[in-house]
Amino acid sequence: MTRARVTRTGLLGTALAGALALAGCSQISALAPVGGDAIAEVRFGAIDVLLAHDVDVLEAPTCTTPDASTTVTCSGSTTTGEPITVTSSTDADAQLEVIVGGRSLYDGPLQEVIDQAARS
């Protein structure tokens, strides 16, 4: 084998390895929503409820736990300017409440929403 052929083969191998590594990174990034803490789980549940009710979201709910409590509050907005308010807890039996513009879209177990989204 000539030196030029070895160099091209080496470059091709390096490029292929780099492409595979980058593809692996994007697949790992896609799995990120599967993991997360209780705050992320509340946010995912809220977004699942909004999607199930065909709410046009302008600003997706952003969630916090004020003063390190077990209560999670989230807020966002619709494309028509209605506020999105979400309340839940970080407890194992957390109850999720999603309100859009003053009307309740969901008030029940957070785990039910998560399970339903996983089935669909």
Side-chain angles (χ1 to χ4, degrees):
M1 227 185 235
T2 67
R3 183 163 179 81
R5 180 178 287 262
V6 171
T7 303
R8 274 188 248 143
T9 304
L11 288 174
L12 180 60
T14 302
L16 181 59
L20 288 174
L22 289 175
C25 290
S26 66
Q27 289 173 350
I28 289 170
S29 296
L31 294 176
V34 174
D37 58 9
I39 297 171
E41 195 170 75
V42 170
R43 183 172 191 263
F44 298 147
I47 290 170
D48 290 338
V49 169
L50 295 169
L51 290 172
H53 286 86
D54 296 321
V55 175
D56 292 326
V57 177
L58 176 64
E59 182 184 340
T62 304
C63 304
T64 60
T65 53
D67 302 324
S69 70
T70 60
T71 302
V72 178
T73 58
C74 314
S75 61
S77 62
T78 67
T79 56
T80 59
E82 292 181 299
I84 299 170
T85 306
V86 179
T87 308
S88 188
S89 73
T90 58
D91 298 333
D93 62 344
Q95 296 295 304
L96 176 70
E97 182 177 25
V98 180
I99 299 172
V100 175
R103 71 182 195 283
S104 178
L105 295 186
Y106 182 81
D107 189 1
L110 170 60
Q111 193 58 50
E112 232 174 69
V113 173
I114 300 295
D115 291 345
Q116 179 61 36
R119 282 190 284 271
S120 21

